[in-house]
mmCIF file with all atom_site columns, all heavy atoms in Angstrom:
data_model
loop_
_atom_site.group_PDB
_atom_site.id
_atom_site.type_symbol
_atom_site.label_atom_id
_atom_site.label_alt_id
_atom_site.label_comp_id
_atom_site.label_asym_id
_atom_site.label_entity_id
_atom_site.label_seq_id
_atom_site.pdbx_PDB_ins_code
_atom_site.Cartn_x
_atom_site.Cartn_y
_atom_site.Cartn_z
_atom_site.occupancy
_atom_site.B_iso_or_equiv
_atom_site.pdbx_formal_charge
_atom_site.auth_seq_id
_atom_site.auth_comp_id
_atom_site.auth_asym_id
_atom_site.auth_atom_id
_atom_site.pdbx_PDB_model_num
ATOM 1  N N   . SER A 1 339 ? 180.286 110.632 81.983 1.00 0.00 ? 339 SER A N   1
ATOM 2  C CA  . SER A 1 339 ? 181.642 110.938 82.224 1.00 0.00 ? 339 SER A CA  1
ATOM 3  C C   . SER A 1 339 ? 182.424 109.744 82.848 1.00 0.00 ? 339 SER A C   1
ATOM 4  O O   . SER A 1 339 ? 183.477 109.277 82.390 1.00 0.00 ? 339 SER A O   1
ATOM 5  C CB  . SER A 1 339 ? 181.917 112.174 83.107 1.00 0.00 ? 339 SER A CB  1
ATOM 6  O OG  . SER A 1 339 ? 183.350 112.319 83.292 1.00 0.00 ? 339 SER A OG  1
ATOM 7  N N   . LEU A 1 340 ? 181.830 109.088 83.834 1.00 0.00 ? 340 LEU A N   1
ATOM 8  C CA  . LEU A 1 340 ? 182.360 107.951 84.456 1.00 0.00 ? 340 LEU A CA  1
ATOM 9  C C   . LEU A 1 340 ? 182.453 106.700 83.488 1.00 0.00 ? 340 LEU A C   1
ATOM 10 O O   . LEU A 1 340 ? 183.421 106.059 83.394 1.00 0.00 ? 340 LEU A O   1
ATOM 11 C CB  . LEU A 1 340 ? 181.472 107.503 85.686 1.00 0.00 ? 340 LEU A CB  1
ATOM 12 C CG  . LEU A 1 340 ? 181.735 108.307 86.937 1.00 0.00 ? 340 LEU A CG  1
ATOM 13 C CD1 . LEU A 1 340 ? 180.637 107.934 87.995 1.00 0.00 ? 340 LEU A CD1 1
ATOM 14 C CD2 . LEU A 1 340 ? 183.132 108.272 87.433 1.00 0.00 ? 340 LEU A CD2 1
ATOM 15 N N   . GLU A 1 341 ? 181.293 106.539 82.649 1.00 0.00 ? 341 GLU A N   1
ATOM 16 C CA  . GLU A 1 341 ? 181.274 105.557 81.648 1.00 0.00 ? 341 GLU A CA  1
ATOM 17 C C   . GLU A 1 341 ? 182.407 105.708 80.632 1.00 0.00 ? 341 GLU A C   1
ATOM 18 O O   . GLU A 1 341 ? 183.018 104.727 80.208 1.00 0.00 ? 341 GLU A O   1
ATOM 19 C CB  . GLU A 1 341 ? 179.861 105.477 81.054 1.00 0.00 ? 341 GLU A CB  1
ATOM 20 C CG  . GLU A 1 341 ? 178.895 104.974 81.976 1.00 0.00 ? 341 GLU A CG  1
ATOM 21 C CD  . GLU A 1 341 ? 177.432 105.065 81.278 1.00 0.00 ? 341 GLU A CD  1
ATOM 22 O OE1 . GLU A 1 341 ? 177.277 105.784 80.374 1.00 0.00 ? 341 GLU A OE1 1
ATOM 23 O OE2 . GLU A 1 341 ? 176.497 104.336 81.760 1.00 0.00 ? 341 GLU A OE2 1
ATOM 24 N N   . ASP A 1 342 ? 182.659 106.913 80.265 1.00 0.00 ? 342 ASP A N   1
ATOM 25 C CA  . ASP A 1 342 ? 183.625 107.117 79.274 1.00 0.00 ? 342 ASP A CA  1
ATOM 26 C C   . ASP A 1 342 ? 185.002 106.943 79.891 1.00 0.00 ? 342 ASP A C   1
ATOM 27 O O   . ASP A 1 342 ? 185.938 106.308 79.318 1.00 0.00 ? 342 ASP A O   1
ATOM 28 C CB  . ASP A 1 342 ? 183.664 108.676 78.824 1.00 0.00 ? 342 ASP A CB  1
ATOM 29 C CG  . ASP A 1 342 ? 182.470 109.061 78.003 1.00 0.00 ? 342 ASP A CG  1
ATOM 30 O OD1 . ASP A 1 342 ? 181.802 108.074 77.412 1.00 0.00 ? 342 ASP A OD1 1
ATOM 31 O OD2 . ASP A 1 342 ? 182.080 110.227 77.786 1.00 0.00 ? 342 ASP A OD2 1
ATOM 32 N N   . ARG A 1 343 ? 185.272 107.361 81.181 1.00 0.00 ? 343 ARG A N   1
ATOM 33 C CA  . ARG A 1 343 ? 186.563 106.954 81.842 1.00 0.00 ? 343 ARG A CA  1
ATOM 34 C C   . ARG A 1 343 ? 186.754 105.478 81.967 1.00 0.00 ? 343 ARG A C   1
ATOM 35 O O   . ARG A 1 343 ? 187.979 104.962 81.792 1.00 0.00 ? 343 ARG A O   1
ATOM 36 C CB  . ARG A 1 343 ? 186.557 107.690 83.223 1.00 0.00 ? 343 ARG A CB  1
ATOM 37 C CG  . ARG A 1 343 ? 187.782 107.541 84.004 1.00 0.00 ? 343 ARG A CG  1
ATOM 38 C CD  . ARG A 1 343 ? 189.021 107.848 83.273 1.00 0.00 ? 343 ARG A CD  1
ATOM 39 N NE  . ARG A 1 343 ? 190.250 107.555 84.099 1.00 0.00 ? 343 ARG A NE  1
ATOM 40 C CZ  . ARG A 1 343 ? 191.522 107.577 83.594 1.00 0.00 ? 343 ARG A CZ  1
ATOM 41 N NH1 . ARG A 1 343 ? 191.728 107.632 82.296 1.00 0.00 ? 343 ARG A NH1 1
ATOM 42 N NH2 . ARG A 1 343 ? 192.580 107.260 84.462 1.00 0.00 ? 343 ARG A NH2 1
ATOM 43 N N   . LEU A 1 344 ? 185.657 104.709 82.334 1.00 0.00 ? 344 LEU A N   1
ATOM 44 C CA  . LEU A 1 344 ? 185.804 103.337 82.553 1.00 0.00 ? 344 LEU A CA  1
ATOM 45 C C   . LEU A 1 344 ? 186.205 102.606 81.142 1.00 0.00 ? 344 LEU A C   1
ATOM 46 O O   . LEU A 1 344 ? 186.873 101.675 81.126 1.00 0.00 ? 344 LEU A O   1
ATOM 47 C CB  . LEU A 1 344 ? 184.565 102.758 83.073 1.00 0.00 ? 344 LEU A CB  1
ATOM 48 C CG  . LEU A 1 344 ? 184.363 103.057 84.659 1.00 0.00 ? 344 LEU A CG  1
ATOM 49 C CD1 . LEU A 1 344 ? 182.851 102.656 85.054 1.00 0.00 ? 344 LEU A CD1 1
ATOM 50 C CD2 . LEU A 1 344 ? 185.317 102.140 85.418 1.00 0.00 ? 344 LEU A CD2 1
ATOM 51 N N   . ASP A 1 345 ? 185.501 103.204 80.150 1.00 0.00 ? 345 ASP A N   1
ATOM 52 C CA  . ASP A 1 345 ? 185.773 102.698 78.815 1.00 0.00 ? 345 ASP A CA  1
ATOM 53 C C   . ASP A 1 345 ? 187.245 102.858 78.472 1.00 0.00 ? 345 ASP A C   1
ATOM 54 O O   . ASP A 1 345 ? 188.035 101.962 77.867 1.00 0.00 ? 345 ASP A O   1
ATOM 55 C CB  . ASP A 1 345 ? 184.928 103.248 77.633 1.00 0.00 ? 345 ASP A CB  1
ATOM 56 C CG  . ASP A 1 345 ? 183.483 102.813 77.674 1.00 0.00 ? 345 ASP A CG  1
ATOM 57 O OD1 . ASP A 1 345 ? 183.248 101.843 78.349 1.00 0.00 ? 345 ASP A OD1 1
ATOM 58 O OD2 . ASP A 1 345 ? 182.635 103.506 77.151 1.00 0.00 ? 345 ASP A OD2 1
ATOM 59 N N   . GLU A 1 346 ? 187.719 103.990 78.698 1.00 0.00 ? 346 GLU A N   1
ATOM 60 C CA  . GLU A 1 346 ? 189.205 104.383 78.545 1.00 0.00 ? 346 GLU A CA  1
ATOM 61 C C   . GLU A 1 346 ? 190.119 103.477 79.425 1.00 0.00 ? 346 GLU A C   1
ATOM 62 O O   . GLU A 1 346 ? 191.069 102.843 78.883 1.00 0.00 ? 346 GLU A O   1
ATOM 63 C CB  . GLU A 1 346 ? 189.457 105.842 78.915 1.00 0.00 ? 346 GLU A CB  1
ATOM 64 C CG  . GLU A 1 346 ? 190.845 106.173 78.738 1.00 0.00 ? 346 GLU A CG  1
ATOM 65 C CD  . GLU A 1 346 ? 191.092 107.711 79.137 1.00 0.00 ? 346 GLU A CD  1
ATOM 66 O OE1 . GLU A 1 346 ? 190.082 108.468 79.267 1.00 0.00 ? 346 GLU A OE1 1
ATOM 67 O OE2 . GLU A 1 346 ? 192.264 108.028 79.292 1.00 0.00 ? 346 GLU A OE2 1
ATOM 68 N N   . LEU A 1 347 ? 189.767 103.270 80.639 1.00 0.00 ? 347 LEU A N   1
ATOM 69 C CA  . LEU A 1 347 ? 190.598 102.400 81.608 1.00 0.00 ? 347 LEU A CA  1
ATOM 70 C C   . LEU A 1 347 ? 190.509 100.946 81.035 1.00 0.00 ? 347 LEU A C   1
ATOM 71 O O   . LEU A 1 347 ? 191.609 100.209 80.964 1.00 0.00 ? 347 LEU A O   1
ATOM 72 C CB  . LEU A 1 347 ? 189.950 102.358 82.929 1.00 0.00 ? 347 LEU A CB  1
ATOM 73 C CG  . LEU A 1 347 ? 190.202 103.662 83.808 1.00 0.00 ? 347 LEU A CG  1
ATOM 74 C CD1 . LEU A 1 347 ? 189.424 103.625 85.092 1.00 0.00 ? 347 LEU A CD1 1
ATOM 75 C CD2 . LEU A 1 347 ? 191.814 103.883 84.034 1.00 0.00 ? 347 LEU A CD2 1
ATOM 76 N N   . SER A 1 348 ? 189.307 100.520 80.604 1.00 0.00 ? 348 SER A N   1
ATOM 77 C CA  . SER A 1 348 ? 189.270 99.140  80.144 1.00 0.00 ? 348 SER A CA  1
ATOM 78 C C   . SER A 1 348 ? 190.104 98.892  78.890 1.00 0.00 ? 348 SER A C   1
ATOM 79 O O   . SER A 1 348 ? 190.880 97.879  78.799 1.00 0.00 ? 348 SER A O   1
ATOM 80 C CB  . SER A 1 348 ? 187.814 98.847  79.741 1.00 0.00 ? 348 SER A CB  1
ATOM 81 O OG  . SER A 1 348 ? 187.706 97.452  79.342 1.00 0.00 ? 348 SER A OG  1
ATOM 82 N N   . ALA A 1 349 ? 190.217 99.836  78.063 1.00 0.00 ? 349 ALA A N   1
ATOM 83 C CA  . ALA A 1 349 ? 191.119 99.808  76.861 1.00 0.00 ? 349 ALA A CA  1
ATOM 84 C C   . ALA A 1 349 ? 192.607 99.765  77.246 1.00 0.00 ? 349 ALA A C   1
ATOM 85 O O   . ALA A 1 349 ? 193.412 98.974  76.722 1.00 0.00 ? 349 ALA A O   1
ATOM 86 C CB  . ALA A 1 349 ? 190.698 100.922 75.890 1.00 0.00 ? 349 ALA A CB  1
ATOM 87 N N   . ARG A 1 350 ? 192.945 100.536 78.196 1.00 0.00 ? 350 ARG A N   1
ATOM 88 C CA  . ARG A 1 350 ? 194.334 100.679 78.582 1.00 0.00 ? 350 ARG A CA  1
ATOM 89 C C   . ARG A 1 350 ? 194.815 99.414  79.324 1.00 0.00 ? 350 ARG A C   1
ATOM 90 O O   . ARG A 1 350 ? 195.879 98.883  79.015 1.00 0.00 ? 350 ARG A O   1
ATOM 91 C CB  . ARG A 1 350 ? 194.640 101.850 79.475 1.00 0.00 ? 350 ARG A CB  1
ATOM 92 C CG  . ARG A 1 350 ? 194.460 103.278 78.801 1.00 0.00 ? 350 ARG A CG  1
ATOM 93 C CD  . ARG A 1 350 ? 194.723 104.458 79.734 1.00 0.00 ? 350 ARG A CD  1
ATOM 94 N NE  . ARG A 1 350 ? 196.067 104.229 80.183 1.00 0.00 ? 350 ARG A NE  1
ATOM 95 C CZ  . ARG A 1 350 ? 196.610 105.126 81.099 1.00 0.00 ? 350 ARG A CZ  1
ATOM 96 N NH1 . ARG A 1 350 ? 195.804 106.056 81.649 1.00 0.00 ? 350 ARG A NH1 1
ATOM 97 N NH2 . ARG A 1 350 ? 197.835 104.978 81.427 1.00 0.00 ? 350 ARG A NH2 1
#
Side-chain angles (χ1 to χ4, degrees):
S339 177
L340 285 175
E341 289 174 339
D342 290 344
R343 177 57 179 164
L344 283 169
D345 287 343
E346 181 183 340
L347 287 173
S348 180
R350 292 183 62 188

